[in-house]
Coordinates of all heavy atoms in Angstrom, one line a residue:
M53 N -18.9 -8.2 -29.8 CA -19.3 -7.0 -29.3 C -18.3 -6.6 -28.2 O -17.9 -7.4 -27.3 CB -20.7 -7.2 -28.6 CG -21.2 -5.9 -28.0 SD -22.9 -6.1 -27.5 CE -22.7 -5.6 -25.8
S54 N -17.7 -5.5 -28.2 CA -16.8 -5.0 -27.3 C -17.4 -4.3 -26.1 O -18.6 -3.9 -26.2 CB -15.7 -4.1 -28.0 OG -16.4 -2.9 -28.4
I55 N -16.7 -4.3 -25.0 CA -17.3 -3.7 -23.8 C -16.8 -2.3 -23.7 O -15.7 -1.9 -24.2 CB -16.9 -4.5 -22.5 CG1 -15.5 -4.6 -22.3 CG2 -17.5 -5.9 -22.6 CD1 -15.1 -5.3 -21.0
S56 N -17.6 -1.4 -23.1 CA -17.2 0.0 -23.0 C -16.0 0.2 -22.1 O -15.6 -0.6 -21.3 CB -18.4 0.7 -22.4 OG -18.5 0.6 -21.0
Y57 N -15.5 1.4 -22.2 CA -14.3 1.9 -21.4 C -14.6 1.7 -19.9 O -13.8 1.1 -19.1 CB -14.1 3.3 -21.7 CG -13.1 4.1 -20.9 CD1 -11.7 3.8 -21.0 CD2 -13.6 4.9 -19.9 CE1 -10.9 4.5 -20.2 CE2 -12.7 5.6 -19.1 CZ -11.3 5.4 -19.2 OH -10.5 6.1 -18.4
H58 N -15.7 2.1 -19.4 CA -16.1 2.0 -18.0 C -16.3 0.6 -17.6 O -15.8 0.2 -16.4 CB -17.3 2.8 -17.7 CG -17.1 4.3 -17.8 ND1 -16.3 5.1 -16.9 CD2 -17.5 5.2 -18.7 CE1 -16.2 6.3 -17.2 NE2 -16.9 6.4 -18.4
H59 N -16.8 -0.3 -18.4 CA -16.9 -1.7 -18.1 C -15.6 -2.4 -18.0 O -15.4 -3.2 -17.2 CB -17.9 -2.3 -19.1 CG -19.3 -2.0 -18.9 ND1 -20.1 -1.5 -19.9 CD2 -20.2 -2.1 -17.9 CE1 -21.3 -1.3 -19.4 NE2 -21.4 -1.7 -18.2
Q60 N -14.7 -1.9 -19.0 CA -13.3 -2.5 -18.9 C -12.7 -2.1 -17.6 O -12.0 -2.9 -17.0 CB -12.5 -1.9 -20.0 CG -12.8 -2.6 -21.4 CD -12.1 -1.9 -22.5 OE1 -11.9 -0.7 -22.6 NE2 -11.6 -2.7 -23.4
L61 N -12.8 -0.9 -17.1 CA -12.2 -0.5 -15.8 C -12.9 -1.3 -14.7 O -12.2 -1.7 -13.8 CB -12.4 1.1 -15.6 CG -11.6 2.0 -16.5 CD1 -12.0 3.4 -16.2 CD2 -10.1 1.7 -16.2
E62 N -14.1 -1.5 -14.7 CA -14.8 -2.3 -13.7 C -14.3 -3.7 -13.7 O -14.0 -4.3 -12.6 CB -16.3 -2.3 -13.9 CG -17.0 -1.0 -13.4 CD -16.8 -0.8 -11.9 OE1 -17.0 -1.8 -11.1 OE2 -16.5 0.3 -11.5
L63 N -14.1 -4.3 -14.9 CA -13.6 -5.7 -15.0 C -12.1 -5.7 -14.4 O -11.8 -6.6 -13.7 CB -13.6 -6.1 -16.4 CG -13.1 -7.6 -16.7 CD1 -13.8 -8.6 -15.9 CD2 -13.2 -7.9 -18.2
L64 N -11.4 -4.7 -14.8 CA -10.0 -4.6 -14.3 C -10.0 -4.6 -12.7 O -9.3 -5.3 -12.0 CB -9.3 -3.3 -14.8 CG -7.9 -3.1 -14.3 CD1 -6.9 -4.1 -14.8 CD2 -7.4 -1.7 -14.8
K65 N -10.9 -3.8 -12.2 CA -11.0 -3.6 -10.7 C -11.5 -4.9 -10.1 O -10.9 -5.4 -9.1 CB -12.0 -2.5 -10.4 CG -12.1 -2.2 -9.0 CD -13.1 -1.1 -8.7 CE -14.1 -1.5 -7.7 NZ -15.2 -0.6 -7.5
D66 N -12.4 -5.6 -10.7 CA -12.9 -6.9 -10.2 C -11.8 -7.9 -10.1 O -11.7 -8.7 -9.2 CB -14.1 -7.4 -11.1 CG -15.4 -6.6 -10.9 OD1 -15.5 -5.8 -9.9 OD2 -16.3 -6.7 -11.8
I67 N -11.0 -8.0 -11.2 CA -9.9 -9.0 -11.2 C -8.9 -8.7 -10.2 O -8.5 -9.6 -9.4 CB -9.3 -9.1 -12.6 CG1 -10.2 -9.6 -13.7 CG2 -8.0 -10.0 -12.5 CD1 -9.7 -9.5 -15.1
L68 N -8.5 -7.4 -10.0 CA -7.6 -7.1 -8.9 C -8.2 -7.3 -7.6 O -7.5 -7.8 -6.7 CB -7.2 -5.6 -9.1 CG -6.4 -5.2 -10.4 CD1 -6.3 -3.7 -10.5 CD2 -5.1 -5.9 -10.4
E69 N -9.5 -7.0 -7.4 CA -10.1 -7.3 -6.1 C -10.1 -8.8 -5.8 O -9.9 -9.3 -4.6 CB -11.5 -6.8 -6.0 CG -11.6 -5.2 -5.9 CD -13.0 -4.8 -5.9 OE1 -13.9 -5.3 -6.6 OE2 -13.2 -3.7 -5.3
N70 N -10.4 -9.6 -6.8 CA -10.4 -11.1 -6.6 C -9.0 -11.5 -6.2 O -8.9 -12.4 -5.3 CB -10.8 -11.7 -7.9 CG -11.0 -13.2 -7.7 OD1 -11.8 -13.7 -6.9 ND2 -10.3 -14.0 -8.5
Q71 N -8.0 -11.1 -6.9 CA -6.6 -11.5 -6.5 C -6.3 -11.0 -5.1 O -5.6 -11.7 -4.5 CB -5.6 -10.9 -7.6 CG -5.7 -11.7 -8.9 CD -4.7 -11.3 -9.9 OE1 -4.0 -10.4 -9.7 NE2 -4.7 -11.9 -11.1
Q72 N -6.7 -9.8 -4.8 CA -6.3 -9.3 -3.5 C -7.0 -10.2 -2.4 O -6.4 -10.6 -1.4 CB -6.8 -7.9 -3.3 CG -6.5 -7.3 -2.0 CD -7.1 -5.9 -1.8 OE1 -8.1 -5.6 -2.3 NE2 -6.3 -5.1 -1.0
S73 N -8.3 -10.5 -2.5 CA -9.0 -11.2 -1.5 C -8.5 -12.7 -1.4 O -8.5 -13.3 -0.3 CB -10.5 -11.2 -1.8 OG -10.8 -11.9 -2.9
E74 N -8.1 -13.3 -2.6 CA -7.7 -14.6 -2.5 C -6.2 -14.8 -2.4 O -5.7 -15.9 -2.2 CB -8.2 -15.4 -3.8 CG -9.7 -15.5 -3.9 CD -10.1 -16.3 -5.1 OE1 -9.3 -16.8 -5.8 OE2 -11.4 -16.3 -5.3
H75 N -5.5 -13.7 -2.5 CA -4.0 -13.7 -2.4 C -3.4 -14.7 -3.5 O -2.5 -15.4 -3.2 CB -3.5 -14.0 -1.0 CG -3.9 -13.2 0.0 ND1 -3.5 -11.9 0.2 CD2 -4.9 -13.3 1.0 CE1 -4.1 -11.3 1.2 NE2 -5.0 -12.2 1.7
Y76 N -4.1 -14.7 -4.6 CA -3.8 -15.6 -5.7 C -4.2 -15.1 -7.0 O -5.2 -14.4 -7.1 CB -4.5 -17.0 -5.4 CG -4.3 -18.0 -6.5 CD1 -3.1 -18.9 -6.4 CD2 -5.1 -18.2 -7.5 CE1 -2.9 -19.8 -7.3 CE2 -4.9 -19.1 -8.5 CZ -3.8 -19.9 -8.4 OH -3.5 -20.9 -9.4
G77 N -3.4 -15.4 -8.0 CA -3.8 -15.0 -9.4 C -3.5 -16.1 -10.3 O -2.3 -16.7 -10.2
S78 N -4.4 -16.5 -11.2 CA -4.2 -17.6 -12.1 C -3.5 -17.1 -13.5 O -3.5 -15.9 -13.7 CB -5.5 -18.3 -12.4 OG -6.3 -17.5 -13.2
H79 N -3.0 -18.0 -14.2 CA -2.4 -17.7 -15.5 C -3.5 -16.9 -16.4 O -3.2 -15.9 -17.0 CB -2.0 -18.9 -16.2 CG -1.7 -18.7 -17.7 ND1 -0.6 -18.1 -18.1 CD2 -2.4 -19.1 -18.8 CE1 -0.6 -18.1 -19.4 NE2 -1.7 -18.6 -19.8
D80 N -4.7 -17.4 -16.4 CA -5.8 -16.8 -17.1 C -6.1 -15.4 -16.7 O -6.4 -14.5 -17.5 CB -7.0 -17.6 -17.1 CG -6.9 -19.0 -17.8 OD1 -6.1 -19.1 -18.8 OD2 -7.7 -19.9 -17.5
E81 N -6.1 -15.2 -15.4 CA -6.3 -13.8 -14.8 C -5.3 -12.8 -15.2 O -5.5 -11.7 -15.6 CB -6.5 -13.8 -13.3 CG -7.7 -14.5 -12.8 CD -7.8 -14.6 -11.3 OE1 -6.7 -14.8 -10.7 OE2 -8.9 -14.5 -10.7
F82 N -4.0 -13.4 -15.2 CA -2.8 -12.4 -15.5 C -2.9 -12.1 -17.0 O -2.7 -11.0 -17.5 CB -1.6 -13.1 -15.2 CG -1.2 -13.1 -13.7 CD1 -1.0 -14.3 -13.1 CD2 -1.3 -12.0 -12.9 CE1 -0.8 -14.3 -11.7 CE2 -1.1 -12.1 -11.6 CZ -0.8 -13.2 -11.0
H83 N -3.3 -13.1 -17.8 CA -3.4 -12.9 -19.3 C -4.6 -11.9 -19.5 O -4.5 -11.0 -20.4 CB -3.7 -14.3 -20.0 CG -3.9 -14.1 -21.5 ND1 -2.8 -13.8 -22.3 CD2 -4.9 -14.2 -22.2 CE1 -3.2 -13.8 -23.5 NE2 -4.5 -14.0 -23.5
Q84 N -5.7 -12.1 -18.8 CA -6.8 -11.2 -18.9 C -6.5 -9.7 -18.6 O -6.8 -8.7 -19.2 CB -8.0 -11.7 -18.2 CG -9.3 -10.9 -18.6 CD -10.6 -11.5 -18.0 OE1 -10.5 -12.3 -17.0 NE2 -11.7 -11.2 -18.6
L85 N -5.7 -9.6 -17.5 CA -5.2 -8.3 -17.1 C -4.4 -7.6 -18.2 O -4.6 -6.5 -18.6 CB -4.4 -8.3 -15.8 CG -5.1 -8.5 -14.5 CD1 -4.2 -8.8 -13.4 CD2 -6.0 -7.3 -14.3
Q86 N -3.5 -8.4 -18.8 CA -2.6 -7.9 -19.9 C -3.5 -7.5 -21.1 O -3.3 -6.5 -21.7 CB -1.6 -8.9 -20.3 CG -0.6 -9.1 -19.3 CD 0.4 -10.3 -19.6 OE1 0.0 -11.2 -20.3 NE2 1.6 -10.2 -19.2
S87 N -4.5 -8.3 -21.5 CA -5.4 -8.0 -22.6 C -6.1 -6.8 -22.3 O -6.4 -5.8 -23.2 CB -6.4 -9.2 -22.9 OG -5.7 -10.3 -23.3
L88 N -6.7 -6.6 -21.1 CA -7.5 -5.4 -20.7 C -6.6 -4.2 -20.7 O -7.0 -3.1 -21.3 CB -8.0 -5.5 -19.3 CG -9.4 -6.2 -19.1 CD1 -9.6 -6.4 -17.6 CD2 -10.5 -5.3 -19.7
V89 N -5.4 -4.2 -20.3 CA -4.5 -3.1 -20.3 C -4.2 -2.7 -21.8 O -4.3 -1.6 -22.1 CB -3.2 -3.4 -19.6 CG1 -2.1 -2.4 -20.0 CG2 -3.4 -3.5 -18.1
N90 N -4.0 -3.7 -22.6 CA -3.7 -3.4 -24.0 C -4.9 -2.7 -24.7 O -4.8 -1.8 -25.4 CB -3.3 -4.7 -24.8 CG -1.9 -5.1 -24.4 OD1 -1.1 -4.3 -24.0 ND2 -1.7 -6.4 -24.6
S91 N -6.1 -3.2 -24.4 CA -7.3 -2.6 -24.9 C -7.5 -1.2 -24.5 O -7.8 -0.3 -25.2 CB -8.5 -3.5 -24.6 OG -9.7 -2.9 -25.0
L92 N -7.3 -1.0 -23.2 CA -7.5 0.4 -22.6 C -6.5 1.3 -23.1 O -6.7 2.5 -23.3 CB -7.5 0.3 -21.1 CG -8.7 -0.3 -20.4 CD1 -8.4 -0.7 -18.9 CD2 -9.8 0.8 -20.4
M93 N -5.3 0.8 -23.3 CA -4.2 1.7 -23.9 C -4.5 2.2 -25.3 O -3.9 3.2 -25.7 CB -2.9 1.0 -23.8 CG -2.4 0.8 -22.3 SD -1.9 2.2 -21.5 CE -0.2 2.4 -22.0
Q94 N -5.3 1.5 -26.0 CA -5.7 1.9 -27.4 C -6.5 3.2 -27.4 O -6.7 3.8 -28.4 CB -6.5 0.8 -28.1 CG -5.7 -0.5 -28.2 CD -4.4 -0.3 -29.0 OE1 -4.4 0.3 -30.0 NE2 -3.3 -0.9 -28.5
N95 N -7.1 3.5 -26.2 CA -7.9 4.7 -26.1 C -7.1 5.9 -25.9 O -6.4 6.1 -24.9 CB -8.9 4.6 -24.9 CG -9.8 5.8 -24.7 OD1 -9.6 6.8 -25.2 ND2 -10.9 5.5 -23.9
G96 N -6.9 6.7 -26.9 CA -6.0 7.9 -26.9 C -6.5 9.0 -25.9 O -5.6 9.9 -25.7
A97 N -7.6 8.9 -25.4 CA -8.1 9.9 -24.5 C -7.8 9.6 -23.0 O -8.3 10.3 -22.1 CB -9.6 10.2 -24.7
I98 N -7.1 8.5 -22.7 CA -6.9 8.2 -21.2 C -6.0 9.2 -20.6 O -5.0 9.7 -21.3 CB -6.5 6.7 -21.1 CG1 -5.1 6.4 -21.7 CG2 -7.5 5.7 -21.6 CD1 -4.5 5.1 -21.3
S99 N -6.2 9.3 -19.3 CA -5.4 10.3 -18.6 C -4.0 9.7 -18.4 O -3.8 8.5 -18.4 CB -6.0 10.7 -17.3 OG -6.0 9.5 -16.5
A100 N -3.0 10.6 -18.1 CA -1.6 10.2 -17.8 C -1.7 9.4 -16.5 O -0.8 8.4 -16.4 CB -0.8 11.4 -17.6
E101 N -2.6 9.7 -15.5 CA -2.6 8.9 -14.3 C -3.0 7.4 -14.6 O -2.5 6.5 -14.1 CB -3.6 9.5 -13.4 CG -3.8 8.8 -12.1 CD -5.0 9.3 -11.2 OE1 -5.7 10.2 -11.7 OE2 -5.0 8.9 -10.1
L102 N -4.0 7.3 -15.5 CA -4.5 6.0 -15.8 C -3.4 5.2 -16.6 O -3.2 4.0 -16.4 CB -5.8 6.0 -16.6 CG -6.4 4.7 -17.0 CD1 -6.6 3.7 -15.8 CD2 -7.7 4.9 -17.8
K103 N -2.8 5.9 -17.5 CA -1.7 5.3 -18.3 C -0.6 4.7 -17.4 O -0.2 3.6 -17.6 CB -1.2 6.3 -19.3 CG -0.3 5.6 -20.3 CD 0.1 6.7 -21.4 CE 0.2 6.1 -22.7 NZ 0.5 7.0 -23.7
E104 N -0.2 5.5 -16.5 CA 0.8 5.0 -15.6 C 0.4 3.8 -14.8 O 1.1 2.8 -14.6 CB 1.2 6.2 -14.6 CG 2.4 5.9 -13.6 CD 2.7 7.1 -12.7 OE1 2.6 8.2 -13.2 OE2 3.0 6.8 -11.6
L105 N -0.9 3.9 -14.3 CA -1.4 2.8 -13.5 C -1.5 1.5 -14.4 O -1.1 0.4 -14.0 CB -2.8 3.2 -13.0 CG -3.6 2.1 -12.2 CD1 -4.3 2.7 -11.0 CD2 -4.6 1.3 -13.1
L106 N -2.0 1.7 -15.6 CA -2.1 0.5 -16.5 C -0.7 -0.1 -16.8 O -0.6 -1.3 -16.9 CB -2.8 0.9 -17.8 CG -4.2 1.3 -17.7 CD1 -4.7 1.8 -19.0 CD2 -5.1 0.1 -17.3
L107 N 0.3 0.7 -17.0 CA 1.6 0.2 -17.2 C 2.1 -0.6 -16.0 O 2.8 -1.7 -16.2 CB 2.6 1.3 -17.6 CG 2.3 1.9 -18.9 CD1 3.3 3.2 -19.1 CD2 2.5 0.9 -20.1
S108 N 1.8 -0.1 -14.8 CA 2.2 -0.9 -13.6 C 1.4 -2.2 -13.5 O 2.1 -3.2 -13.2 CB 1.9 0.0 -12.4 OG 2.7 1.1 -12.3
V109 N 0.1 -2.2 -13.8 CA -0.6 -3.4 -13.8 C -0.1 -4.4 -14.8 O 0.0 -5.6 -14.5 CB -2.1 -3.1 -13.9 CG1 -2.9 -4.4 -14.2 CG2 -2.6 -2.3 -12.7
E110 N 0.2 -3.9 -16.0 CA 0.7 -4.8 -17.0 C 2.0 -5.5 -16.6 O 2.2 -6.6 -16.8 CB 0.9 -4.0 -18.3 CG 1.4 -4.8 -19.5 CD 1.6 -4.0 -20.8 OE1 2.0 -2.9 -20.8 OE2 1.1 -4.6 -21.8
Q111 N 2.9 -4.6 -16.1 CA 4.2 -5.2 -15.6 C 4.0 -6.2 -14.5 O 4.6 -7.3 -14.5 CB 5.1 -4.1 -15.1 CG 6.5 -4.6 -14.7 CD 7.3 -5.1 -15.8 OE1 7.2 -4.8 -16.9 NE2 8.2 -6.0 -15.5
Y112 N 3.1 -6.0 -13.6 CA 2.7 -6.8 -12.5 C 2.2 -8.2 -13.1 O 2.7 -9.2 -12.7 CB 1.7 -6.2 -11.6 CG 0.8 -7.1 -10.9 CD1 1.2 -7.7 -9.7 CD2 -0.5 -7.4 -11.3 CE1 0.4 -8.6 -9.0 CE2 -1.3 -8.2 -10.7 CZ -0.9 -8.8 -9.5 OH -1.7 -9.7 -8.8
A113 N 1.3 -8.1 -14.0 CA 0.7 -9.3 -14.6 C 1.7 -10.1 -15.4 O 1.8 -11.4 -15.2 CB -0.5 -8.9 -15.5
Y114 N 2.5 -9.4 -16.1 CA 3.6 -10.1 -16.9 C 4.6 -10.8 -16.1 O 4.9 -12.0 -16.2 CB 4.3 -9.1 -17.8 CG 5.5 -9.7 -18.5 CD1 5.2 -10.5 -19.7 CD2 6.7 -9.5 -18.1 CE1 6.3 -11.1 -20.4 CE2 7.8 -10.1 -18.8 CZ 7.6 -10.8 -19.9 OH 8.6 -11.5 -20.6
Q115 N 5.1 -10.1 -15.0 CA 6.1 -10.7 -14.2 C 5.5 -11.9 -13.3 O 6.2 -12.9 -13.2 CB 6.6 -9.7 -13.1 CG 7.7 -8.8 -13.7 CD 8.9 -9.6 -14.3 OE1 9.2 -9.4 -15.4 NE2 9.5 -10.3 -13.4
H116 N 4.3 -11.7 -12.8 CA 3.7 -12.8 -12.0 C 3.5 -14.1 -12.9 O 3.6 -15.2 -12.4 CB 2.5 -12.3 -11.3 CG 2.8 -11.7 -9.9 ND1 3.4 -10.4 -9.9 CD2 2.7 -12.0 -8.7 CE1 3.6 -10.0 -8.7 NE2 3.1 -11.0 -7.9
D117 N 3.0 -13.8 -14.1 CA 2.6 -14.9 -15.0 C 3.9 -15.6 -15.5 O 4.0 -16.8 -15.5 CB 1.8 -14.4 -16.1 CG 1.2 -15.6 -16.9 OD1 0.8 -16.6 -16.3 OD2 1.1 -15.5 -18.1
K118 N 4.9 -14.8 -15.8 CA 6.2 -15.3 -16.3 C 6.9 -16.1 -15.3 O 7.4 -17.2 -15.6 CB 7.0 -14.2 -16.8 CG 8.5 -14.5 -17.3 CD 9.2 -13.3 -17.7 CE 10.7 -13.7 -17.8 NZ 11.5 -12.5 -17.7
E119 N 6.9 -15.6 -14.1 CA 7.8 -16.3 -13.0 C 6.9 -17.3 -12.3 O 7.4 -18.0 -11.4 CB 8.3 -15.2 -12.1 CG 9.3 -14.3 -12.7 CD 9.7 -13.1 -11.9 OE1 9.2 -13.1 -10.7 OE2 10.4 -12.3 -12.4
G120 N 5.6 -17.4 -12.6 CA 4.7 -18.4 -11.9 C 4.5 -18.0 -10.5 O 4.2 -18.9 -9.6
Q121 N 4.6 -16.7 -10.1 CA 4.4 -16.3 -8.7 C 2.9 -16.1 -8.4 O 2.5 -15.0 -8.0 CB 5.1 -15.0 -8.5 CG 6.6 -15.2 -8.7 CD 7.2 -13.8 -8.4 OE1 6.7 -12.8 -8.5 NE2 8.5 -13.8 -8.3
H122 N 2.1 -17.1 -8.7 CA 0.7 -16.9 -8.6 C 0.2 -16.7 -7.2 O -0.9 -16.2 -6.9 CB -0.1 -18.1 -9.2 CG 0.3 -18.3 -10.7 ND1 0.1 -17.4 -11.7 CD2 0.9 -19.4 -11.3 CE1 0.6 -17.9 -12.8 NE2 1.1 -19.1 -12.6
S123 N 1.0 -17.1 -6.3 CA 0.6 -17.0 -4.8 C 1.2 -15.9 -4.1 O 1.0 -15.7 -2.9 CB 0.8 -18.3 -4.1 OG 2.1 -18.6 -4.1
T124 N 2.0 -15.1 -4.8 CA 2.7 -13.9 -4.1 C 2.2 -12.6 -4.5 O 2.9 -11.7 -4.9 CB 4.2 -14.1 -4.3 OG1 4.4 -14.0 -5.7 CG2 4.8 -15.3 -3.8
V125 N 0.9 -12.4 -4.4 CA 0.2 -11.2 -4.8 C 0.4 -10.2 -3.6 O 0.0 -10.4 -2.6 CB -1.2 -11.4 -5.1 CG1 -2.0 -10.2 -5.4 CG2 -1.3 -12.4 -6.4
S126 N 0.8 -9.0 -4.0 CA 1.0 -7.9 -3.0 C -0.3 -7.2 -2.7 O -0.8 -6.4 -3.6 CB 2.1 -6.8 -3.5 OG 2.1 -5.7 -2.7
S127 N -0.8 -7.3 -1.5 CA -2.1 -6.8 -1.2 C -2.1 -5.3 -1.2 O -3.1 -4.6 -1.6 CB -2.5 -7.3 0.1 OG -3.9 -7.2 0.4
A128 N -1.1 -4.7 -0.7 CA -1.0 -3.2 -0.6 C -1.0 -2.6 -1.9 O -1.6 -1.6 -2.2 CB 0.3 -2.8 0.2
E129 N -0.2 -3.1 -2.8 CA -0.1 -2.6 -4.2 C -1.5 -2.8 -4.9 O -2.0 -1.8 -5.5 CB 1.0 -3.3 -4.9 CG 1.3 -2.7 -6.3 CD 2.6 -3.4 -6.9 OE1 2.7 -4.6 -6.8 OE2 3.4 -2.7 -7.5
L130 N -2.1 -4.0 -4.8 CA -3.4 -4.1 -5.4 C -4.4 -3.2 -4.8 O -5.2 -2.6 -5.6 CB -3.8 -5.6 -5.1 CG -3.1 -6.7 -6.0 CD1 -3.5 -8.1 -5.5 CD2 -3.3 -6.5 -7.4
N131 N -4.4 -3.0 -3.5 CA -5.4 -2.1 -2.9 C -5.3 -0.7 -3.5 O -6.2 0.0 -3.8 CB -5.2 -2.1 -1.4 CG -6.3 -1.3 -0.7 OD1 -7.5 -1.5 -0.9 ND2 -5.9 -0.4 0.2
S132 N -4.0 -0.2 -3.6 CA -3.8 1.1 -4.2 C -4.3 1.2 -5.6 O -5.0 2.2 -6.0 CB -2.3 1.4 -4.2 OG -2.0 2.6 -4.9
W133 N -4.1 0.2 -6.5 CA -4.6 0.2 -7.8 C -6.1 0.1 -7.9 O -6.7 0.8 -8.7 CB -4.0 -1.0 -8.6 CG -2.6 -0.9 -8.9 CD1 -1.8 0.2 -9.0 CD2 -1.7 -2.0 -9.2 NE1 -0.5 -0.1 -9.2 CE2 -0.4 -1.5 -9.4 CE3 -1.9 -3.4 -9.2 CZ2 0.7 -2.3 -9.7 CZ3 -0.7 -4.2 -9.6 CH2 0.5 -3.6 -9.8
I134 N -6.7 -0.7 -7.0 CA -8.2 -0.8 -6.9 C -8.7 0.6 -6.6 O -9.7 1.0 -7.2 CB -8.6 -1.8 -5.9 CG1 -8.2 -3.3 -6.4 CG2 -10.1 -1.8 -5.6 CD1 -8.2 -4.3 -5.3
Q135 N -8.2 1.3 -5.6 CA -8.7 2.6 -5.3 C -8.5 3.6 -6.5 O -9.4 4.4 -6.7 CB -8.0 3.1 -4.0 CG -8.4 2.4 -2.8 CD -7.6 2.8 -1.5 OE1 -6.7 3.6 -1.6 NE2 -8.1 2.2 -0.4
Q136 N -7.4 3.5 -7.1 CA -7.2 4.4 -8.2 C -8.1 4.2 -9.4 O -8.6 5.1 -10.0 CB -5.7 4.3 -8.7 CG -4.7 4.9 -7.8 CD -3.3 4.7 -8.3 OE1 -2.8 3.6 -8.5 NE2 -2.6 5.8 -8.6
V137 N -8.3 2.9 -9.7 CA -9.2 2.6 -10.8 C -10.6 3.0 -10.5 O -11.3 3.7 -11.3 CB -9.2 1.0 -11.1 CG1 -10.3 0.7 -12.1 CG2 -7.9 0.7 -11.7
D138 N -11.0 2.7 -9.2 CA -12.4 3.2 -8.8 C -12.5 4.7 -8.9 O -13.5 5.3 -9.4 CB -12.6 2.7 -7.4 CG -14.1 2.7 -7.0 OD1 -14.9 2.5 -7.9 OD2 -14.3 3.1 -5.8
S139 N -11.5 5.5 -8.4 CA -11.6 6.9 -8.5 C -11.6 7.4 -9.9 O -12.4 8.3 -10.3 CB -10.3 7.5 -7.8 OG -10.3 8.8 -7.8
I140 N -10.7 6.9 -10.8 CA -10.8 7.3 -12.2 C -12.0 7.0 -12.9 O -12.6 7.8 -13.6 CB -9.5 6.6 -12.9 CG1 -8.2 7.1 -12.4 CG2 -9.7 6.7 -14.4 CD1 -7.0 6.4 -12.8
N141 N -12.6 5.8 -12.6 CA -13.8 5.4 -13.3 C -15.0 6.3 -12.9 O -15.9 6.5 -13.7 CB -14.1 3.9 -13.0 CG -15.0 3.3 -14.0 OD1 -15.2 3.8 -15.1 ND2 -15.7 2.2 -13.7
R142 N -15.0 6.8 -11.7 CA -16.0 7.7 -11.2 C -15.9 9.1 -11.8 O -16.9 9.8 -11.9 CB -16.1 7.8 -9.7 CG -16.7 6.6 -9.0 CD -16.9 6.7 -7.5 NE -15.6 6.3 -7.0 CZ -15.0 6.9 -6.0 NH1 -15.5 7.9 -5.4 NH2 -13.9 6.4 -5.6
T143 N -14.7 9.6 -12.2 CA -14.5 10.9 -12.6 C -14.4 11.1 -14.1 O -14.6 12.1 -14.6 CB -13.2 11.5 -12.0 OG1 -12.0 10.7 -12.4 CG2 -13.3 11.6 -10.5
E144 N -14.2 10.0 -14.8 CA -14.1 10.0 -16.3 C -15.4 9.6 -16.9 O -16.1 8.9 -16.5 CB -12.9 9.3 -16.8 CG -11.6 9.8 -16.4 CD -10.5 9.1 -17.0 OE1 -10.6 8.2 -17.8 OE2 -9.3 9.5 -16.7

């Protein structure tokens, strides 16, 4: 059973909030972020704003996972994405 678009956005926000509060991201979290982004990008009706945000999150997850930078999570960037996801999820 797949989860809905809004639930995917909530999950994305939850993972980002967790990484922000702990200043840490695990390999599994980065992989899950990449999977969520790929799934959300399959929705042809997503806004340009969300698409840009998702591409940024995907790049962030890929780079941090690839380089093993699990403890160097940028709080300001995460906060911006969290706010954007929350705003988009409320309006769409």
Side-chain angles (χ1 to χ4, degrees):
M53 181 171 128
S54 63
I55 60 175
S56 75
Y57 169 77
H58 292 286
H59 287 122
Q60 287 176 317
L61 288 177
E62 281 299 314
L63 180 56
L64 177 67
K65 183 179 134 191
D66 288 346
I67 294 169
L68 293 173
E69 285 176 331
N70 186 57
Q71 289 186 354
Q72 180 186 35
S73 69
E74 295 183 6
H75 303 284
Y76 179 85
S78 70
H79 167 75
D80 290 338
E81 287 174 330
F82 291 126
H83 182 73
Q84 189 170 23
L85 283 172
Q86 291 173 330
S87 294
L88 271 171
V89 166
N90 289 332
S91 179
L92 285 162
M93 292 291 274
Q94 298 300 315
N95 182 340
I98 65 171
S99 67
E101 177 187 11
L102 180 57
K103 190 175 216 175
E104 184 178 323
L105 179 137
L106 291 173
L107 291 173
S108 295
V109 170
E110 182 179 42
Q111 182 65 29
Y112 153 81
Y114 174 78
Q115 279 303 120
H116 278 69
D117 193 37
K118 177 182 165 200
E119 297 172 3
Q121 298 177 344
H122 304 300
S123 62
T124 59
V125 175
S126 168
S127 197
E129 191 172 41
L130 289 172
N131 189 49
S132 173
W133 291 337
I134 291 163
Q135 289 176 355
Q136 286 178 302
V137 168
D138 196 40
S139 175
I140 290 168
N141 202 18
R142 281 185 276 138
T143 60
E144 291 187 4

